Amino acid sequence: MPQDVQPNEDNPSETTYTFDASRPLKLAMRYARQSVDFEEGIERQHTVNAQIAEQLGYIIPDSPEYRFSDNNVSGTTTRRPGFDPMIEKIVSRNTLARALFVRERDRLGRWNNPKRHDYYAVLCADHGVPIVESTNIDQTDWESDLSDSVEWRMLNDCMARLHARRDRIKIISKSNQGTRARIKLGFFTLKRPFFGTERWLVDGHSREPIRRLIPGQAESRAGARVALLWATDGSLDVVRDIFAWLAGGRSLGWVARQLTERGVTAPGTRYGVSAPGQRWHIERVRTIARNPIYHGDLLYGRTCQRLQGQAPVPASEAKTTEFGMILYTGFMRDAPVTRSEWELVQTKLDQNVRERNARYDAKRTYLLAGALRCALCHRRFQGFTSIADAHGARRQYYRHDASSWGRRSLCTGRRRYVPAPFVEQNARDLLRAMLARGTFDRLLRDAVGDTASSRTGSRDESALREAHERATTLTTQLRNANAAILRTTSSAAIRDLEAQRDEIARELEASHAQSAELAAEPDRLAQVLSSLPQVATALKSFRTLMTNGTRESEAALLRYMIPTVLVDQERREVVYRVRATPSTSGFDAR
């Protein structure tokens, strides 16, 4: 336990601790979470955790490596910006902490699945960082204690988690009842308005607008409710354009590019706030096109995964005590899209989905998949099957990667196609010509012969001995580095020592790999020498597969012998790079 704590005068951001030399230094980390934006509550949790840790003989350095927080994050989520890096650091053993302090169990999470707490408790304990609740310190030795108190403690914990789960379910049910009741009355319940709409606080009886609400803002006022009104910022014109384009046969991707090129402000991902400068994505266009609100109907629960496939219940028949989708017909008046136009767009989108699934379901082997790359930006070409033409035929192409991130997105070959039969047939002709000329006979024979001759007598006892000595030295250095880290109190010095330790560990791993490779050298040499009589058989099998094999075996052979095919769109040239062997450097064929 520290005897003196004082700030570091050379670096005010650090703290110097003086310890009792008879007690070993024990570091710990702490975690705090708030469901609402309340930074003061986060600090209170950290303060309580630090005080309890000090009482138990732990020190929690005030650095990001030992302090983790999630402010304004719900406990029902399983992915969090503060929680995830902490668990990753524990599981990877990339920390010197020997305990994790949280104020209460529910700070870790308020999951409906009560087993999650046990999962994380066992996971952290198995990696040397047990979880300690500051308000309910549990000193039970779950591994070694054989007394009845362990069973009683576990039963109490299980009952507490089950009661907490029951309370959460009651809260969810009560909230669901209130939400469904407001929807049945024609009011809006979501914090995020749809694109082209606005949330307004209105009088609950006359529905007269009171004032517009900021996206994400929640306000409670006697006699007032939240209604959804059409926006007046011009976004409805964008909605009309989207439906007109899709009804005219344009694709979702074309619409997204058109809106981005026109500089139309894209809807944000949080609460529908506009995000100037961001590009339109296909999914944003799809979300608008699939939403029935734009012809006046509200479908509550349409994005909930567990409700997918269920038939919606009309608002007039929906019960507040049930769960499920609600369809409120005529929820908004003066819709920007007619019902017939909306249904036409749904028909076209459904047809696109069926055609896409048909292309995916048709198993088509692209012989050079993964091998084709752009000669300018080195991005891959992907196999692509066109939609059926008037005669039902589908054409196969290799398509340049069309993603738009990074400087390589400026490549002039983006979204361009190469006919698959053209490049694949040329690859076949190349390999068959090499077989006819006996090129593979020479390459394979030379490869095996050169490898055998180069490895004859290659086992060097001195090299193996040096590798073992190097590994022993590195092991000692690693042990000393760990000891130095435990003796150091400065957080900056600890970070430097950890970096040195990691470097030593990597060198030690490489040394062990080198020793294993040298020890296995005699076996590899014997295998190479024994393969010499099998070269002729291998060549015969190779010819058989190239001429009479299946398309899958042909694809495997082509990708092995020609690992890279460069497509130069500007020169209209395709370069086939044949695999190099130990005796040759490979060559390019055009």
Side-chain angles (χ1 to χ4, degrees):
M1 186 173 298
Q3 297 176 338
D4 186 23
V5 181
Q6 57 187 0
N8 189 339
E9 296 180 357
D10 297 333
N11 190 348
S13 64
E14 296 183 0
T15 303
T16 302
Y17 299 91
T18 303
F19 297 92
D20 183 354
S22 62
R23 290 178 176 268
L25 172 64
K26 295 192 297 183
L27 298 178
M29 57 176 58
R30 52 186 168 177
Y31 175 73
R33 183 190 60 79
Q34 282 287 146
S35 297
V36 296
D37 188 3
F38 188 46
E39 194 64 40
E40 183 179 349
I42 294 290
E43 292 300 325
R44 289 177 185 174
Q45 294 180 44
H46 282 311
T47 301
V48 171
N49 291 333
Q51 292 173 351
I52 299 301
E54 185 175 348
Q55 294 176 13
L56 297 179
Y58 291 90
I59 289 298
I60 304 179
D62 192 13
S63 69
E65 298 178 1
Y66 298 91
R67 174 189 170 111
F68 299 88
S69 308
D70 279 315
N71 189 27
N72 195 21
V73 177
S74 172
T76 60
T77 58
T78 57
R79 305 292 298 178
R80 306 179 207 153
F83 185 79
D84 293 349
M86 178 184 69
I87 295 298
E88 182 180 355
K89 185 176 285 290
I90 293 175
V91 173
S92 63
R93 302 185 186 274
N94 188 25
T95 179
L96 297 176
R98 293 298 173 260
L100 167 61
F101 283 83
V102 295
R103 192 187 68 183
E104 296 166 333
R105 181 190 296 266
D106 61 6
R107 294 304 90 196
L108 290 174
R110 289 182 178 271
W111 303 294
N112 288 333
N113 184 353
K115 295 181 179 181
R116 279 192 178 274
H117 290 99
D118 288 338
Y119 166 75
Y120 283 113
V122 174
L123 178 69
C124 294
D126 285 348
H127 290 83
V129 187
I131 299 175
V132 180
E133 298 179 43
S134 298
T135 58
N136 185 23
I137 301 175
D138 181 13
Q139 300 291 343
T140 304
D141 187 353
W142 298 96
E143 294 288 348
S144 304
D145 194 342
L146 303 180
S147 64
D148 295 340
S149 61
V150 175
E151 299 177 2
W152 286 110
R153 177 77 185 194
M154 179 175 292
L155 288 175
N156 288 332
D157 287 347
C158 290
M159 291 302 299
R161 289 196 297 274
L162 291 176
H163 284 307
R165 182 178 185 273
R166 185 175 300 173
D167 292 340
R168 286 194 298 273
I169 292 177
K170 289 181 179 178
I171 294 174
I172 293 173
S173 300
K174 185 176 181 179
S175 175
N176 177 69
Q177 292 179 19
T179 298
R180 293 172 69 88
R182 289 193 293 273
I183 290 176
K184 285 172 64 66
L185 294 175
F187 296 111
F188 194 64
T189 60
L190 302 179
K191 290 184 178 181
R192 174 179 176 175
F194 305 121
F195 180 77
T197 64
E198 298 173 343
R199 295 166 64 247
W200 278 75
L201 194 68
V202 300
D203 185 89
H205 299 286
S206 65
R207 297 182 183 267
E208 286 295 325
I210 299 175
R211 68 181 185 86
R212 187 171 67 89
L213 296 177
I214 300 174
Q217 176 185 4
E219 181 171 333
S220 177
R221 182 184 299 186
R225 295 289 185 267
V226 177
L228 195 66
L229 302 179
W230 297 117
T232 57
D233 57 359
S235 54
L236 287 184
D237 294 333
V238 177
V239 173
R240 295 186 183 96
D241 290 340
I242 290 175
F243 277 90
W245 285 331
L246 294 176
R250 296 294 186 179
S251 67
L252 295 172
W254 185 93
V255 174
R257 291 193 299 273
Q258 190 72 9
L259 293 173
T260 301
E261 293 170 359
R262 291 189 176 189
V264 178
T265 302
T269 57
R270 182 173 175 81
Y271 297 142
V273 179
S274 297
Q278 291 192 12
R279 68 186 182 90
W280 281 78
H281 192 271
I282 291 178
E283 289 304 320
R284 292 178 177 175
V285 179
R286 192 198 311 276
T287 300
I288 294 174
R290 289 293 194 181
N291 196 340
I293 196 65
Y294 296 109
H295 69 79
D297 294 351
L298 174 68
L299 182 58
Y300 171 75
R302 68 186 182 88
T303 60
C304 183
Q305 292 295 327
R306 61 186 179 85
L307 300 180
Q308 296 301 310
Q310 297 184 11
V313 179
S316 58
E317 303 175 8
K319 298 180 180 180
T320 58
T321 55
E322 296 178 350
F323 290 85
M325 291 191 288
I326 299 177
L327 177 61
Y328 194 114
T329 304
F331 186 81
M332 298 184 72
R333 300 178 180 178
D334 302 325
V337 178
T338 64
R339 184 179 300 274
S340 59
E341 186 177 6
W342 185 85
E343 291 177 350
L344 174 61
V345 170
Q346 306 313 303
T347 301
K348 289 183 175 295
L349 292 178
D350 292 340
Q351 178 63 25
N352 292 341
V353 171
R354 288 192 293 270
E355 291 181 354
R356 182 192 63 191
N357 292 339
R359 293 199 301 268
Y360 290 165
D361 293 341
K363 296 183 178 180
R364 302 176 186 273
T365 303
Y366 288 86
L367 299 181
L368 297 175
L372 256 72
R373 290 181 178 272
C374 177
L376 301 178
C377 67
H378 292 281
R379 280 190 175 176
R380 295 182 184 274
F381 277 71
Q382 302 166 346
F384 175 82
T385 303
S386 69
I387 61 176
D389 58 17
H391 303 285
R394 300 178 185 272
R395 296 182 176 86
Q396 290 185 267
Y397 299 91
Y398 289 98
R399 179 175 59 181
H400 190 290
D401 184 5
S403 56
S404 58
W405 52 267
R407 292 189 305 170
R408 292 187 294 179
S409 64
L410 303 177
C411 178
T412 57
R414 280 184 61 206
R415 299 192 181 94
R416 299 183 68 176
Y417 297 76
V418 177
F422 168 75
V423 291
E424 292 175 356
Q425 188 58 46
N426 286 343
R428 293 192 194 94
D429 295 342
L430 172 63
L431 293 188
R432 285 168 181 160
M434 295 174 65
L435 280 172
R437 293 196 300 265
T439 304
F440 285 139
D441 297 62
R442 295 192 300 273
L443 291 180
L444 290 177
R445 293 181 190 277
D446 293 346
V448 177
D450 291 350
T451 302
S453 61
S454 64
R455 290 182 176 175
T456 302
S458 62
R459 184 180 182 184
D460 192 344
E461 296 292 345
S462 61
L464 184 60
R465 185 168 53 255
E466 290 177 0
H468 284 309
E469 293 176 354
R470 177 60 176 167
T472 303
T473 303
L474 290 173
T475 302
T476 304
Q477 293 178 0
L478 185 61
R479 188 183 303 112
N480 294 338
N482 288 327
I485 291 174
L486 294 177
R487 292 193 302 268
T488 304
T489 60
S490 171
S491 58
I494 289 177
R495 286 194 295 270
D496 295 339
L497 289 172
E498 287 178 342
Q500 297 177 13
R501 179 195 61 186
D502 295 341
E503 182 64 27
I504 295 173
R506 285 192 291 269
E507 292 185 13
L508 180 59
E509 183 179 359
S511 180
H512 285 319
Q514 182 184 8
S515 299
E517 184 177 358
L518 289 172
E521 187 68 22
D523 295 335
R524 286 199 299 269
L525 177 61
Q527 183 178 1
V528 171
L529 293 175
S530 63
S531 66
L532 284 172
Q534 302 174 4
V535 173
T537 304
L539 287 172
K540 182 178 179 180
S541 300
F542 189 87
R543 291 191 181 93
T544 301
L545 289 174
M546 278 298 299
T547 54
N548 300 320
T550 64
R551 188 171 176 84
E552 287 74 14
S553 63
E554 184 183 18
L557 288 172
L558 285 175
R559 287 196 291 266
Y560 177 78
M561 295 307 302
I562 308 178
T564 304
V565 180
L566 296 179
V567 179
D568 192 332
Q569 298 278 13
E570 292 184 353
R571 298 182 179 179
R572 303 183 64 83
E573 183 179 58
V574 180
V575 179
Y576 298 85
R577 291 194 168 172
V578 180
R579 176 176 295 277
T581 66
S583 61
T584 65
S585 58
F587 59 90
D588 293 347
R590 288 172 170 80

